[in-house]
């Protein structure tokens, strides 16, 4: 049996992507009649100094300068893996031995990707106009505009990049209890980005965001409390976030149940995990892939559902799922047997340090299954896997 990944690896969570991006579909709906030309009355009111109009105009130019990614792009990405064997992903999952170190690194990576994506996709003229109108509204004390000015300034989108100025705008916005700014400052102090790392301040800002009803603030407040081994305090907050359908909280709460740290009704735990997976939480998808493959945790054996869960997680950049996808292709479980696709999945995951994928490559070359038998390549891959494992153990 080729290696699948045991669920009882450390549980990982995904950082929240900025609300700045998630607002754009809503903003666009304000201007459905002329998607690339704001209404004349809006411009007129903004030029007269109306801060709400200035803010909306900033939103308009922001929304028309950016494009949202879609699942079709991710699906084509996976198809390219199977055709070309190339895949650009995050840090190797086998190196995620220390949960809290990984979470900080991953948050930083996503922030850098977000900046790069905007600079690449955004329309420069519209970005400048967005920054102009957000600043106009921010100078009139519009709290959400102040947050956006901070975000644009932090990333140098449409304006001069300045970390110090960004923090000042976030603080101005947060002083008016703007939940976006409260969450952003909590994140910055948690990561130690732009400001010195300070868990107490981070907890304070996340708590304020949570008090405003923000489910992401609730989740990250719970994360900080769990990091400090304060489970009794964290649990009700985590439960509340999960009740609000926060996928990270749903996954984490279910994981606490399946790892024996808390007890939930089995049906509730399954529902939490399934709902998190529906929202593309990769760890929940990976869990379901394993559970349907093994017939574990109260789930029946269902190779088709296992394949679909692994496939979706792989399109979202989950290395272990990509390796497991190779296992299913190799054995023809949940899909047609295809050694070539199995090989490409293994090679893609192996390129980024997935030890299980590397060992599976070694097995293929040792036995000559799906590839030409090669003892030298088998030995090479086994040596590489051992070297990576030793590096992980010593780090």
């Amino acid at each position: 049996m080729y290696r699948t990944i045991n669920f009882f690896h450390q549980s990982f969570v995904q950082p929240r992507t900025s609300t700045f991006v998630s607002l754009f579909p809503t903003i666009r709906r304000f201007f459905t009649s002329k998607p690339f030309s704001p209404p004349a009355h809006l411009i007129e009111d903004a030029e007269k100094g109306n801060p709400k109009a200035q803010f909306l105009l900033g939103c308009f130019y922001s929304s028309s300068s950016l494009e949202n990614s879609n699942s079709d792009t991710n699906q084509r990405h996976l198809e390219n893996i199977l055709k070309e064997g190339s895949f650009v992903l995050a840090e190797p999952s086998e190196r995620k031995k220390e949960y809290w170190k990984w979470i900080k690194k991953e948050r930083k990576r996503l922030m850098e990707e977000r900046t790069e994506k905007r600079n690449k996709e955004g329309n420069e003229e519209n970005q400048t106009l967005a920054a102009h109108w957000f600043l106009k509204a921010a100078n009139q004390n519009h709290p959400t505009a102040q947050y956006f000015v901070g975000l644009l300034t932090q990333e140098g989108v449409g304006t001069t990049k300045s970390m110090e100025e960004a923090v000042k705008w976030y603080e101005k916005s947060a002083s008016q209890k703007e939940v976006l700014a409260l969450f952003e400052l909590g994140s910055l102090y948690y990561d130690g980005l732009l400001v010195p790392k300070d868990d107490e301040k981070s907890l304070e800002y996340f708590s304020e965001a949570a008090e405003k009803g923000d489910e992401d603030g609730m989740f990250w407040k719970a994360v900080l409390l769990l990091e400090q081994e304060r489970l009794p305090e964290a649990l009700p907050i985590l439960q509340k976030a999960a009740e609000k359908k926060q996928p990270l909280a749903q996954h984490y709460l279910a994981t606490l149940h399946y790892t024996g740290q808390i007890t939930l009704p089995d049906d509730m735990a399954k529902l939490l995990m399934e709902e998190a997976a529906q929202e593309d939480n990769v760890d929940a998808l990976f869990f379901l892939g394993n559970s349907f493959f093994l017939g574990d945790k109260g789930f029946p054996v269902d190779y088709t559902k296992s394949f679909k869960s692994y496939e979706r997680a792989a399109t979202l950049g989950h290395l272990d799922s990509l390796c497991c996808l190779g296992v299913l292709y190799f054995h023809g479980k949940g899909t047609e047997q295809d050694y070539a696709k199995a090989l490409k999945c293994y090679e893609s995951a192996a390129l980024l340090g997935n030890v299980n994928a590397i060992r599976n490559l070694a097995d293929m070359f040792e036995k000559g299954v799906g590839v030409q038998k090669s003892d030298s390549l088998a030995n090479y891959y086994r040596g590489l896997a051992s070297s990576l494992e030793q590096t992980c153990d010593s780090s």
Side-chain angles (χ1 to χ4, degrees):
M1 173 66 71
Y2 279 76
R3 293 171 184 80
T4 55
I5 314 302
N6 192 304
F7 164 67
F8 292 103
H9 277 185
Q10 183 65 55
S11 170
F12 310 125
V13 297
Q14 296 170 288
R16 170 191 184 183
T17 56
S18 173
T19 308
F20 185 51
V21 173
S22 65
L23 283 175
F24 292 142
T26 302
I27 292 168
R28 280 199 178 98
R29 286 196 288 271
F30 297 158
F31 307 103
T32 52
S33 59
K34 290 187 178 182
F36 297 105
S37 179
H41 68 82
L42 185 63
I43 297 175
E44 183 180 348
D45 287 349
E47 289 176 342
K48 287 180 179 179
N50 184 315
K52 290 184 179 180
Q54 291 167 344
F55 170 70
L56 285 174
L57 201 55
C59 289
F60 170 81
Y61 285 117
S62 294
S63 69
S64 53
S65 73
L66 294 172
E67 296 179 4
N68 292 310
S69 62
N70 57 60
S71 59
D72 289 340
T73 300
N74 287 326
Q75 183 62 37
R76 287 195 298 272
H77 198 178
L78 178 61
E79 290 170 359
N80 288 334
I81 297 172
L82 302 178
K83 290 178 181 177
E84 306 297 335
S86 60
F87 198 48
V88 180
L89 288 169
E91 288 294 309
S93 60
E94 288 296 320
R95 295 177 185 169
K96 299 171 187 173
K97 297 292 184 180
E98 297 183 43
Y99 169 63
W100 301 113
K101 285 185 180 179
W102 175 82
I103 216 175
K104 294 173 179 62
K105 183 188 294 184
E106 194 72 354
R107 287 173 64 85
K108 182 179 179 182
R109 181 185 66 79
L110 287 181
M111 289 182 70
E112 290 171 351
E113 283 185 359
R114 183 180 68 184
T115 301
E116 183 180 354
K117 176 178 168 61
R118 288 181 187 167
N119 289 339
K120 188 179 297 183
E121 294 185 352
N123 177 283
E124 187 174 343
E125 181 181 355
N126 281 346
Q127 289 176 348
T128 302
L129 286 168
H132 169 79
W133 289 111
F134 278 140
L135 183 60
K136 287 276 190 182
N139 283 330
Q140 294 199 67
N141 225 29
H142 190 290
T144 313
Q146 289 173 337
Y147 163 76
F148 282 136
V149 171
L151 189 60
L152 293 173
T153 304
Q154 177 184 337
E155 300 184 350
V157 175
T159 187
T160 303
K161 186 173 183 175
S162 171
M163 303 305 182
E164 291 183 2
E165 284 298 310
V167 172
K168 288 179 182 178
W169 282 111
Y170 288 145
E171 289 175 341
K172 286 181 180 180
S173 180
S175 69
Q176 298 192 71
K177 306 303 180 185
E178 169 55 58
V179 70
L180 297 173
L182 291 169
F183 183 88
E184 194 74 27
L185 284 169
S187 299
L188 293 179
Y189 278 110
Y190 180 80
D191 295 324
L193 297 175
L194 312 188
V195 293
K197 180 174 172 55
D198 189 324
D199 286 346
E200 290 305 314
K201 282 190 176 181
S202 178
L203 184 59
E204 178 184 336
Y205 282 118
F206 283 143
S207 296
E208 288 191 62
E211 288 170 7
K212 296 279 287 183
D214 182 67
E215 61 269 25
D216 296 310
M218 294 175 193
F219 173 72
W220 285 98
K221 178 182 180 180
V223 165
L224 266 170
L225 293 173
L226 288 166
E227 185 178 4
Q228 298 169 12
E229 299 183 354
R230 296 160 64 180
L231 178 60
E233 294 175 68
L235 189 55
I237 301 168
L238 196 61
Q239 289 174 322
K240 189 171 182 180
E243 288 170 3
K244 293 173 74 70
K245 307 299 183 182
Q246 212 287 353
L248 300 175
Q250 290 175 314
H251 167 259
Y252 204 102
L253 194 61
T255 299
L256 290 175
H257 167 77
Y258 287 117
T259 54
Q261 297 180 62
I262 64 171
T263 301
L264 298 173
D266 288 338
D267 288 346
M268 179 186 293
K270 288 174 66 176
L271 180 63
L272 287 169
M273 197 65 79
E274 288 170 341
E275 288 185 347
Q278 288 170 7
E279 293 300 319
D280 280 343
N281 180 285
V282 293
D283 294 305
L285 287 163
F286 179 58
F287 173 91
L288 291 180
N290 284 343
S291 298
F292 284 121
F293 184 86
L294 299 170
D296 197 17
K297 313 299 180 193
F299 292 86
V301 172
D302 190 324
Y303 295 129
T304 300
K305 288 184 178 180
S306 178
F307 179 87
K308 289 180 179 178
S309 296
Y310 286 141
E311 182 182 43
R312 182 58 187 159
T315 67
L316 297 168
H318 193 267
L319 277 179
D320 287 339
S321 291
L322 182 57
C323 176
C324 290
L325 198 61
V327 172
L328 296 188
Y329 274 122
F330 188 92
H331 290 287
K333 300 289 189 181
T335 187
E336 292 184 8
Q337 189 174 55
D338 192 324
Y339 291 139
K341 288 183 177 180
L343 179 65
K344 291 185 184 299
C345 287
Y346 293 153
E347 286 178 335
S348 299
L351 282 171
L352 292 159
N354 186 281
V355 174
N356 287 313
I358 294 171
R359 291 199 181 281
N360 285 347
L361 284 173
D363 289 343
M364 287 184 76
F365 282 104
E366 180 182 45
K367 297 172 182 176
V369 180
V371 294
Q372 185 175 350
K373 181 177 171 62
S374 173
D375 290 337
S376 61
L377 280 175
N379 290 334
Y380 165 75
Y381 282 122
R382 292 201 190 285
L384 179 59
S386 296
S387 176
L388 282 174
E389 284 180 330
Q390 289 173 7
T391 301
C392 291
D393 290 341
S394 61
S395 62

